[in-house]
């Protein structure tokens, strides 16, 4: 069924969340098990920590950047690259900041929460590589603090990124969610927008989500990589 829809659709949009990353071995710092030095990661990944607790803030992000050095995107990411080549896959909206989509060669990625693979000056916006955090050079020539290019707790999402993602959802005729529990706003708004504009909605997530009732197909309890592999075999794309 999904394979047929993929072939017939003219504007496919993929939406990915933490479940896509964790299958590659990216540690989930939001989970209870992911507690870091007994601290809640949400309190460290915040504007408050950036202002008042810079040492731990930088330590936390350095650790997260380091954790990604050993991570390779799983085969599901490569399958998306193939779909973009042979099918009308137009964009990938992601809640993840790990840059695995880009690493796998996926294009037209819309990172709602930015990327952890880049730093920039909080004052002037100058962009820096993550090397800065390993060299402990934390300040820009303008004396601004060099921070990760992610959306912190206490900050809003980039309105331009939101508009782009909304447009994609509106234009889609097939919207596929991969590994998102769809409980956080605005993440949960995009499948709704897609559905309202007549798209078919597929939700592939380990656990049920609040939007399952409006989905055309729901797949729970399976690895995303395995589901994508099975669909791709049905499509027999090279
Ligand atoms: Zn600066």
């Amino acid at each position: 069924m999904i394979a047929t829809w993929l072939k017939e659709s003219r504007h496919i949009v993929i939406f990915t969340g933490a479940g896509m990353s964790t299958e590659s071995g990216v540690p989930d710092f939001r989970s209870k098990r992911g507690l870091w030095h007994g601290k809640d990661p949400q309190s460290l990944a915040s504007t408050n920590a950036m202002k008042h607790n810079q040492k731990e803030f930088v330590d936390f992000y350095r650790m997260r950047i380091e954790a990604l050095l050993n991570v390779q995107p799983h085969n599901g990411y490569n399958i998306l690259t193939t779909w973009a080549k042979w099918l009308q896959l137009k964009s990938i909206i992601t809640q993840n900041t790990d840059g695995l989509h880009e690493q796998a060669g996926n294009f037209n990625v819309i990172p709602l929460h930015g990327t952890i693979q880049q730093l920039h000056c909080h004052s002037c916006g100058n962009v820096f590589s993550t090397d800065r955090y390993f060299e402990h050079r934390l300040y820009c020539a303008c004396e601004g603090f060099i921070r990760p290019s992610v959306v912190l707790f206490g900050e809003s999402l980039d309105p331009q990124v939101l508009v782009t993602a909304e447009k994609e959802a509106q234009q889609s005729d097939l919207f596929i969610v991969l590994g998102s529990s769809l409980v956080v706003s605005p993440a949960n708004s995009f499948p709704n927008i897609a559905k309202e504009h007549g798209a078919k909605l597929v939700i592939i997530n380990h656990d049920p989500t609040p939007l399952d009732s409006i989905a055309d197909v729901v797949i729970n309890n399976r690895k995303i990589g395995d589901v994508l592999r099975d669909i791709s075999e049905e499509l027999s794309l090279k």
Side-chain angles (χ1 to χ4, degrees):
M1 178 108 81
I2 300 173
T4 309
W5 289 347
L6 278 165
K7 275 188 210 163
E8 290 171 352
S9 296
R10 289 285 149 263
H11 198 114
I12 303 161
V13 174
I14 303 279
F15 183 94
T16 64
M20 186 76 178
S21 289
T22 47
E23 270 185 45
S24 278
V26 177
D28 180 4
F29 291 103
R30 287 194 197 203
S31 72
K32 281 226 168 90
R33 271 185 313 161
L35 282 180
W36 189 66
H37 288 202
K39 291 222 165 64
D40 175 8
Q42 296 205 8
S43 72
L44 289 168
S46 67
T47 49
N48 196 44
M50 181 170 69
K51 280 183 195 134
H52 304 296
N53 192 5
Q54 273 183 1
K55 188 189 174 302
E56 274 197 307
F57 177 86
V58 170
D59 283 351
F60 177 67
Y61 277 101
R62 192 191 303 112
M63 180 270 303
R64 291 192 56 183
I65 295 161
E66 211 163 15
L68 284 172
L69 294 175
N70 301 316
V71 171
Q72 289 296 322
H74 62 74
N75 195 43
Y77 291 87
N78 304 326
I79 289 170
L80 296 183
T81 304
T82 311
W83 288 5
K85 192 171 163 199
W86 296 105
L87 304 167
Q88 302 299 318
L89 171 57
K90 299 297 186 190
S91 60
I92 299 173
I93 306 170
T94 185
Q95 295 175 276
N96 303 331
T97 57
D98 48 45
L100 288 182
H101 282 299
E102 290 86 347
Q103 203 179 317
N106 297 161
F107 77 107
N108 215 358
V109 180
I110 305 169
L112 291 176
H113 302 273
T115 174
I116 204 169
Q117 304 280 16
Q118 179 192 290
L119 309 173
H120 71 265
C121 171
H122 189 61
S123 301
C124 74
N126 229 344
V127 168
F128 297 94
S129 94
T130 53
D131 293 346
R132 280 278 186 147
Y133 271 18
F134 294 90
E135 297 159 358
H136 301 273
R137 293 161 66 211
L138 309 181
Y139 294 91
C140 177
C142 83
E143 295 185 357
F145 178 66
I146 297 175
R147 55 164 293 174
S149 298
V150 296
V151 179
L152 300 170
F153 290 100
E155 290 179 325
S156 313
L157 272 64
D158 181 339
Q160 284 225 310
V161 173
L162 272 181
V163 167
T164 308
E166 268 170 30
K167 272 192 192 151
E168 282 300 310
Q170 284 169 12
Q171 288 173 359
S172 73
D173 54 0
L174 177 60
F175 193 94
I176 303 177
V177 176
L178 302 175
S180 173
S181 49
L182 300 175
V183 286
V184 190
S185 175
N188 52 10
S189 68
F190 299 110
N192 266 317
I193 294 169
K195 194 70 194 167
E196 278 164 17
H197 286 77
K200 291 196 177 65
L201 176 61
V202 175
I203 300 178
I204 302 167
N205 190 51
H206 188 271
D207 298 314
T209 79
L211 296 186
D212 288 357
S213 56
I214 64 160
D216 297 273
V217 171
V218 175
I219 298 173
N220 293 143
N221 270 316
R222 289 199 61 201
K223 283 195 159 184
I224 296 163
D226 292 349
V227 176
L228 296 183
R229 182 202 59 211
D230 290 353
I231 297 169
S232 250
E233 275 171 11
E234 219 180 313
L235 288 163
S236 49
L237 300 171
K238 287 282 169 286

